[in-house]
Structure formats: structure tokens, C-alpha cells
Amino acid sequence: MSRERPGRGPAWHVDAELAARYAGGTAAESDAWSVEKHVEACGACAALVSSAARAVPETGPLLAGIRAAVLEQVAAEGLPERAAEARGAVDSPAYAGGSEARGAVDSPAYAGGSEGPTYGNAGAASTTASPRTAASPAARASTGESPAAHAAPITNPPADARTSATHTTAAGATGVSPRLSRAARVLWAAGPALRGAWAAALGVVVLGALGLSYGAGLGASVRPLLLVTAPVLPLAGVALSYGRHADPLYEVVTSTPSGGLRLLLVRAAAVLGVSVPALTLAGAALPPAAGGPGAAAWLLPGLALTLAALALGSFVGSRRGAAAVGGAWALFVVAPATVGGPAGAALMAGAAPYFSGPAVQSGWAAGALACALLLAARRRSFDHLETP
């Protein structure tokens, strides 16, 4: 749940639905870590989470037993006044998430009012005056201190300083200078594949196909080669976009609320956004083969293979999933297609049954849909770190 802070953007807080999922143990790891970190500084959210935990049938009696044991131990140590204080604190409405806690959640300070929420020591410093600053003018005069020495401290840095700090933090977190264009920063965030060898390999395949067709005089015989190669190229990009073997910041990224399947899909979409136009335009630029599939015939097979790699990656990891799907494509499609010959009309005749016809394309579409449904059902598996 986010509440808007005027001039300072939204402030994130725990809502009832997230608190219930956290108490029930069904929240994603990244969400659970965010809740645990947030309740360290936000008393209203801590009360809300506490109330949700006490309402769970499995944890309610356990917490009640712990409370009784703590009170019994305190009473056994001969400190009845401390036991009464502890009992009163535990039974308070704020601890139980009652009306006072809900009122705190709806308060302007919680919602990020003009001053914004205060957390930790910063909030204490801004609301509690020290003995030195709380001294009266007469007391300061008696000690010979100047009133200027007790001027109100500057609580907010100048705008230029905040802007500089923001730019410094952003550059330090991403490694990209703020002077670079927006396109360069988007490319950096799109994943390791678009910045590494995969992008270079894609360029080599596209330019190599055009060079062999027009430069080496092979003509239309290059089209079937590109046709059987194009569907597996996005697999390599997906394998190099996410996972402990590909991303040096994988553990850090996975621990954020935007990590997991969401980030994997974003990077997979970036890979497809680059490879699909490049390979399709390259196929369209090649001389057509008589009776062969069109330049876009590989799109549905490529999409089905990419989704299959993502779905399989939810079980064995992105790299292993992409390798398994690519190996299956080579074994069951490329190998039978090259039985009559590795190029020319023989290769086109062998590859055509896997690309041509409404029935074949419908089968690839159905396979893509099935893999997408499996991926949606397995989405929580990406909230956990990959095993070696």
C-alpha cells in the first residue's frame, strides 16, 4: 500500500492483505523481507502485522503461550510491577491492532503528510527536544551562551545538495552515469544479455545470413538455415538475462519486491524485442525459397520455445531450462530436417513440416499457451534463490 506524500512521492506501508499473507506464511520472500524491515520503524504497521499474526489459528495459541511464559518468568523474578506493565502493554489496543492502531494507520503522519513519516532516531530527534535546546532564554543568558548557538538546525539539505546526492546514489547503484541518455540507461537495465556476447552473436547471425546469401552467392538456400536457427536464439538471451550464473547482482535483485518472475519477464521481453525484429527483417531480406515458409513463420515456434524455457526454468533454473529446450529443438527438429542435406532445397523440405500450415502454427500457439499457464502457476518459485 502506498500513500502519497506531497512533493516527496509515495510512502510504502503494509496493508491488511499483505499482513494476512505474511502471517499465513504465503507472502513471497521479497515481500516478507520488506515487511520485516518496515515494521522495525513503523509502529502502526507493526500493530497491523501483530493483529494479523494473532488471528491465525496456528500462531494465536503459540503467541498466547509465549506471552504467558514471559509473564510467569517476570513474576517469578519478584518484579510484579514490571509484570503488570508488560501485561498492560500486551493487552493494549495498539498491540492487538485495535481501533487505536487503525487510527494510527489513517493518521496524516502515517500517510506521509507535509512533514512526512518519521522513522527511527530521525523521528525521535525531530519530535523530542534535547535538554540543551529546550533550555529557556533566561537559563542560556545565565550561562553566557549566545542565542545564535541554539538556532534551529537545518533539517533538509538544499535542493542542489539533494539532487547531487540523488544522482550520486543512482550512479553508484547502477554503474551508469546520469549524463548518459535515457536509452542507454534503459539498455543497461534490460539485462546482461543485451550488453554482452549474446547481442554480438545476434548481429553475427543476421549479418552472416545476409552476407552468405548475397556476398557468397548462396541465394535462397540461406533462408532455411536462418529458419531453423532463429527460434533458439532468444533462448540463449533468456539464459543470459537472469540467474546466479548470469547476473552478478542476482542475489541483490532477487531480494527486491520487483525481482523474481517480474524482472525475468521484463528481461525476456527485452530479448524478444531485439531478436524478433532483427531476425524477421533479415528473413524478409533474403531471397524467397519456392514453396517454403515465410519470414515470420518462426515467430510462434520461437515464442513457444521461450515460454517453455521459462516454465522449465522454474524447476531447474533459467540456464538449465534454456539448455534443455535448445537441446530438444536440435534433436527433434534440426537433426531430422538436415537428413536430406544441410542446405538448399533439401533443408527447406525437411524444415517446412515444422513451420508451414495452419495446423502446425496452431499447435505451436497451443504449446505457447500451455507453457504460459504453467509459468503462471509456478510464479512463486522465482521468489527463491536458484540452487547451484
Side-chain angles (χ1 to χ4, degrees), residues 5 35 145 148 214-215 250 272 293 343 368:
R5 297 183 297 175
V35 169
E145 295 178 356
Y214 293 101
Y250 169 67
L272 292 175

Side-chain angles (χ1 to χ4, degrees), residues 248-329:
L249 297 177
Y250 169 67
E251 288 80 3
V252 177
V253 170
T254 306
S255 65
T256 63
S258 60
L261 180 60
R262 182 187 307 177
L263 181 60
L264 177 58
L265 290 178
V266 169
R267 291 184 174 179
V271 168
L272 292 175
V274 173
S275 59
V276 167
L279 294 172
T280 303
L281 291 176
L286 295 176
W298 72 275
L299 292 179
L300 281 177
L303 179 61
L305 293 183
T306 301
L307 290 174
L310 293 176
L312 185 58
S314 67
F315 294 95
V316 298
S318 299
R319 189 174 70 164
R320 295 190 185 101
V325 173
W329 175 264

Side-chain angles (χ1 to χ4, degrees), residues 124-140:
S126 62
T127 58
T128 305
S130 66
R132 182 177 179 88
T133 58
S136 63
R140 292 198 299 269

Side-chain angles (χ1 to χ4, degrees), residues 50-240:
S50 175
S51 176
R54 288 157 67 93
V56 176
E58 294 79 5
T59 59
L62 178 62
L63 293 175
I66 295 175
R67 171 181 176 271
V70 171
L71 293 177
E72 181 181 354
Q73 182 178 358
V74 172
E77 293 177 357
L79 300 174
E81 66 281 358
R82 294 181 61 183
E85 293 177 1
R87 186 179 297 107
V90 173
D91 293 335
S92 66
Y95 183 87
S99 59
E100 294 183 9
R102 288 191 296 270
V105 172
D106 295 331
S107 65
Y110 182 89
S114 58
E115 297 298 328
T118 57
Y119 299 105
N121 295 333
S126 62
T127 58
T128 305
S130 66
R132 182 177 179 88
T133 58
S136 63
R140 292 198 299 269
S142 64
T143 58
E145 295 178 356
S146 171
H150 297 274
I154 297 176
T155 57
N156 293 320
D160 293 342
R162 291 198 301 269
T163 303
S164 176
T166 302
H167 287 173
T168 302
T169 304
T174 62
V176 181
S177 171
R179 293 187 176 90
L180 293 180
S181 65
R182 180 179 179 83
R185 282 180 279 158
V186 170
L187 178 63
W188 181 270
L194 299 184
R195 305 192 306 268
W198 177 83
L202 178 64
V204 169
V205 169
V206 170
L207 296 178
L210 296 175
L212 289 175
S213 179
Y214 293 101
L218 297 181
S221 61
V222 180
R223 180 184 284 268
L225 288 174
L226 183 62
L227 193 64
V228 297
T229 304
V232 296
L233 285 177
L235 296 181
V238 171
L240 296 175

Side-chain angles (χ1 to χ4, degrees), residues 227-228 231 293 297-298 300-301 329 331-338 347-357 360-361 364:
L227 193 64
V228 297
W298 72 275
L300 281 177
W329 175 264
L331 181 63
F332 296 105
V333 176
V334 177
T338 56
L347 180 58
M348 179 60 75
Y354 301 97
F355 297 94
S356 299
V360 174
Q361 291 293 325
W364 286 116

